[in-house]
Amino acid sequence: MKYSKEAKPERAMGGGTGGVGARALPAALMVLLLCGFSFYLGSIYSSTGRTFTLFDSTTTTIVSTTSKQSSGGGGGAIAIAAIGGSKEEVEEEFGECPAEFQDYTPCTDPKRWRKYGNYRLSFMERHCPPAPERSSCLVPPPKGYRPPIRWPKSKDQCWYRNVPYDWINSQKSNQHWLRKDGDRFAFPGGGTMFPNGVGAYVDLMADLVPGMKDGSVRTALDTGCGVASWGGDLLSRGILALSLAPRDNHEAQVQFALERGIPAILGIISTQRLPLPASSMDMAHCSRCLIPWTEFGGLYLMEIHRVLRPGGFWVLSGPPVNYENRWHGWNTTVEAQKADFDRLKKLLSSMCFKLYNKKGDIAVWQKSLDAACYDKLTPVTSPAKCDDSVDPDAAWYVPMRSCVNAPPKPHRKQAQLLPKWPQRLGVAPERVSVIPGGSASAMKHDDGKWKAATKHYKSLLPALGSDKIRNAMDMATTYGGFAASLVKDPVWVMNVVSSYGPNSLGVVYDRGLIGTNHDWCEAFSTYPRTYDLLHLDGLFTAESHRCEMKFVLLEMDRILRPTGYAIIRDNPYFLDSAANIAKGMRWSCDRHDTEDKENEKEKLLICNKPLWSAKKKNI
């Protein structure tokens, strides 16, 4: 569900005591003036997501009122009026959400699943609450919550009270996913398909895919990630994996991953495309992830094919691989498993995958670079070749299609010419030129800007660059320059590219970074308390005509860890409003100049979220 300003609460335009006739002409003039002003602002905002517009607070009049929400334990009302140089702000503190909100994920809320159908588990996809049902309260931490253990120790352990769920421990104890150890959970690196530990499992995989050792493989997708031990192990090998799992009533897989400091996001391969660009991943992985790859005409494999870059690898361990030795433990027959494996190989071959290597429980396929294979596909073959009616990079609420996206020739060439990691970080990829205003020089300039900005940030926020900040998010990026400036620090960055602006996310992945498309008028696909740092560059300027600032900031509070930080870089007008709302969220904020002290069009607001205990009894 998309929200527009028409869905926001009505704006108070002042009143009068005259009759309808007496008010008609002034009202009509006001409507015309507002329409003209809105059109003018819209033309500015839509021209580019990176343009800053300076509002003159001595002449601008904005009166915005938001009422308390009936759900979620209270709301915050902010009214801002700037008339003739005076600004009056009325602040109301936001109330605490009920205790059961401690793991609230608004767009993947199990309490709302019954409203949606069971077809292909589509109820686990994003279904955001409509505007009247959005909560405007502060999500409480669990009882006994503590600041997370710092990286790299967090890869192997976390505080039990931060993620107080024993289901995986009790149900998977024989597989050594995790174990309760006093006041902590320990992660020994076990899993269904790696009885000798995840390190030995990845060692075997790296022998099958030599590109994992020389920087050729940099980005990876882990579907059905468990507690993300595979992605955690890859980090020490220079491979950045995005772990993916759906929201679950019991397992909290993504929550465990992020608590450990491992990149992860809530999601499921069901009916909608993953919020990722085409030809973005060097590798995709499934370790007994229970996704029915051969069902529905291979639709789920077609989505894997879409996000893999030409020459990329798809790795499968578990049924039906190694059926000769494993079938008796899978509650099936050797004949049935052989038939499944043959069907899988045939299906992958028809999609221009080639069996690259196989040993033991692991099989590896490679997405073909051979144009001749894709040339054989047509709109009437099985599988069919996708037509050009839907952009293969479009992925925000876009249904999956039962057809194969043939990589455009530039993408095939790009896969062959893409430098190895880490050289590829500083090389402008070929598809930078398809972004409006994009070019190699524009990316180089962006990198220089963020290198200087990050140096300045660190002088104002010493925690940045230290082990106090592990999980970071750049909420509105273009080329991933902020993330690139931090690549040598003990931090990873989730790069978010607006679903309503130029889709530059493919460039981010080509550089060897990770990210996702998102619309900040909605909640992000993660659990509460999962990021140490949120960075915003011009987000309120770019999206103020669509998204209500209060709800964006409340969402930031939901996903930010207690003791975490937000760096808000924007027009001073919006910073004033953001600081006022942040005060109602219990944040402490300081205003600063940017690295360019002479720049009056943008300033910084650096905020810190405190650790507070819920007044209401929590679990």
Side-chain angles (χ1 to χ4, degrees):
M1 168 114 20
K2 306 295 188 296
Y3 306 115
S4 65
K5 59 184 177 183
E6 286 77 16
K8 295 179 181 179
E10 293 182 359
R11 300 197 180 274
M13 297 308 302
T17 58
V20 174
R23 296 194 302 265
L25 183 57
L29 289 173
M30 182 63 74
V31 168
L32 288 173
L33 287 171
L34 287 175
C35 289
F37 188 57
S38 297
F39 177 81
Y40 170 70
L41 291 179
S43 65
I44 294 174
Y45 293 141
S46 60
S47 63
T48 170
R50 316 313 308 154
T51 299
F52 298 98
T53 304
L54 179 61
F55 287 81
D56 183 352
S57 61
T58 64
T59 58
T60 303
T61 301
I62 295 182
V63 181
S64 175
T65 62
T66 54
S67 61
K68 288 186 179 182
Q69 301 295 317
S70 59
S71 63
I78 305 294
I80 302 172
I83 304 176
S86 65
K87 177 176 287 188
E88 181 181 346
E89 298 185 0
V90 181
E91 175 207 330
E92 182 174 342
E93 290 189 0
F94 296 94
E96 297 176 11
C97 298
E100 59 268 21
F101 274 54
Q102 70 178 39
D103 289 326
Y104 181 48
T105 54
C107 296
T108 50
D109 185 1
K111 293 180 180 178
R112 303 179 74 243
W113 283 351
R114 64 181 181 275
K115 296 183 179 182
Y116 310 105
N118 292 328
Y119 179 65
R120 290 186 1 217
L121 301 180
S122 59
F123 62 89
M124 287 186 171
E125 293 183 304
R126 289 178 58 87
H127 301 285
C128 298
E133 297 179 18
R134 288 185 293 186
S135 298
S136 56
C137 55
L138 305 179
V139 174
K143 183 180 179 181
Y145 179 89
R146 303 169 62 176
I149 296 170
R150 296 181 182 179
W151 184 265
K153 289 183 178 180
S154 64
K155 187 176 78 169
D156 301 318
Q157 55 185 290
C158 75
W159 301 118
Y160 166 73
R161 291 308 316 176
N162 288 12
V163 194
Y165 304 112
D166 286 320
W167 188 87
I168 293 182
N169 185 38
S170 61
Q171 297 295 318
K172 303 286 187 178
S173 59
N174 63 320
Q175 297 171 11
H176 308 292
W177 285 23
L178 65 125
R179 68 172 184 271
K180 178 79 181 308
D181 187 7
D183 60 355
R184 310 181 187 206
F185 275 127
F187 301 90
T192 309
M193 297 311 301
F194 15 103
N196 297 320
V198 67
Y201 175 81
V202 177
D203 285 342
L204 173 59
M205 191 179 300
D207 289 339
L208 299 177
V209 186
M212 293 177 64
K213 300 177 181 179
D214 67 3
S216 299
V217 173
R218 165 61 180 174
T219 57
L221 175 69
D222 190 14
T223 58
C225 64
V227 294
S229 293
W230 184 75
D233 183 87
L234 291 178
L235 289 170
S236 62
R237 303 171 190 250
I239 299 174
L240 194 57
L242 180 61
S243 297
L244 178 80
R247 171 66 200 255
D248 189 277
N249 269 324
H250 305 288
E251 296 181 44
Q253 300 171 89
V254 165
Q255 193 173 20
F256 275 114
L258 288 161
E259 186 68 20
R260 300 174 67 186
I262 299 171
I265 193 171
L266 285 169
I268 186 172
I269 303 179
S270 177
T271 68
Q272 306 285 331
R273 285 179 174 179
L274 297 174
L276 305 172
S279 302
S280 55
M281 293 290 182
D282 300 318
M283 175 183 286
H285 171 253
C286 164
S287 174
R288 197 165 187 174
C289 57
L290 304 182
I291 297 174
W293 296 113
T294 58
E295 295 184 17
F296 312 110
L299 183 63
Y300 301 145
L301 280 172
M302 294 176 188
E303 178 63 0
I304 295 296
H305 184 281
R306 184 185 72 85
V307 301
L308 273 179
R309 67 177 71 255
F313 301 96
W314 186 61
V315 183
L316 175 66
S317 66
V321 179
N322 199 15
Y323 66 88
E324 304 95 329
N325 300 312
R326 292 280 194 176
W327 68 269
H328 47 80
W330 293 339
N331 194 28
T332 183
T333 65
V334 65
E335 292 80 12
Q337 283 298 296
K338 182 180 184 303
D340 284 348
F341 193 51
D342 289 342
R343 184 163 54 250
L344 179 66
K345 288 191 294 183
K346 182 178 180 181
L347 186 59
L348 286 164
S349 177
S350 70
M351 295 181 189
C352 298
F353 280 102
K354 295 181 179 180
L355 185 60
Y356 183 81
N357 223 329
K358 180 179 177 295
K359 185 175 182 180
D361 294 323
I362 302 175
V364 181
W365 283 265
Q366 186 177 32
K367 181 177 174 178
S368 180
L369 284 163
D370 184 6
C373 177
Y374 297 106
D375 291 341
K376 295 177 182 178
L377 302 178
T378 71
V380 296
T381 55
S382 182
K385 182 179 182 180
C386 292
D387 56 31
D388 296 328
S389 62
V390 179
D391 181 358
D393 285 340
W396 187 247
Y397 291 121
V398 176
M400 287 194 299
R401 307 179 71 199
S402 56
C403 56
V404 175
N405 284 108
K409 291 182 179 179
H411 285 196
R412 300 176 203 168
K413 181 180 178 183
Q414 179 75 27
Q416 293 172 311
L417 300 180
L418 202 63
K420 297 178 180 180
W421 179 261
Q423 287 75 24
R424 64 193 272 190
L425 179 67
V427 177
E430 188 170 313
R431 56 178 160 181
V432 73
S433 61
V434 304
I435 304 169
S439 65
S441 60
M443 195 187 94
K444 183 178 180 180
H445 175 77
D446 188 72
D447 279 358
K449 168 189 172 180
W450 289 116
K451 185 177 180 179
T454 299
K455 181 179 179 181
H456 181 60
Y457 291 168
K458 289 179 177 179
S459 70
L460 300 173
L461 183 61
L464 183 59
S466 74
D467 60 2
K468 292 182 179 180
I469 293 177
R470 171 60 186 171
N471 301 350
M473 177 187 290
D474 193 359
M475 294 175 61
T477 192
T478 302
Y479 303 114
F482 176 66
S485 71
L486 293 169
V487 73
K488 294 182 179 180
D489 294 330
V491 62
W492 65 271
V493 179
M494 177 66 74
N495 293 281
V496 180
V497 172
S498 172
S499 58
Y500 277 82
N503 192 359
S504 58
L505 192 55
V507 174
V508 172
Y509 274 93
D510 285 349
R511 301 187 68 184
L513 305 170
I514 59 171
T516 181
N517 288 120
H518 185 64
D519 175 8
W520 283 111
C521 294
E522 299 181 358
F524 193 76
S525 295
T526 191
Y527 283 87
R529 305 173 302 277
T530 49
Y531 284 88
D532 300 299
L533 174 71
L534 301 176
H535 177 252
L536 298 75
D537 173 31
L539 179 64
F540 295 128
T541 293
E543 301 287 12
S544 63
H545 63 301
R546 296 194 315 106
C547 308
E548 194 166 342
M549 180 184 288
K550 179 185 78 169
F551 288 109
V552 176
L553 283 163
L554 281 169
E555 175 62 5
M556 291 169 60
D557 181 81
R558 185 185 73 86
I559 67 178
L560 189 62
R561 286 172 167 172
T563 71
Y565 302 92
I567 301 176
I568 305 175
R569 183 186 184 110
D570 216 315
N571 181 276
Y573 180 86
F574 290 110
L575 291 189
D576 290 342
S577 301
N580 194 40
I581 297 173
K583 188 184 298 183
M585 300 191 309
R586 312 181 188 183
W587 291 12
S588 59
C589 300
D590 293 313
R591 185 164 167 157
H592 301 274
D593 290 326
T594 65
E595 62 280 0
D596 179 6
K597 294 183 179 181
E598 303 301 320
N599 183 4
E600 294 299 324
K601 293 186 177 182
E602 56 178 343
K603 297 295 180 182
L604 298 175
L605 193 68
I606 299 182
C607 301
N608 177 232
K609 175 183 175 179
L611 171 57
W612 51 269
S613 298
K615 296 177 183 178
K616 302 171 185 179
K617 186 177 180 180
N618 281 346
I619 298 173

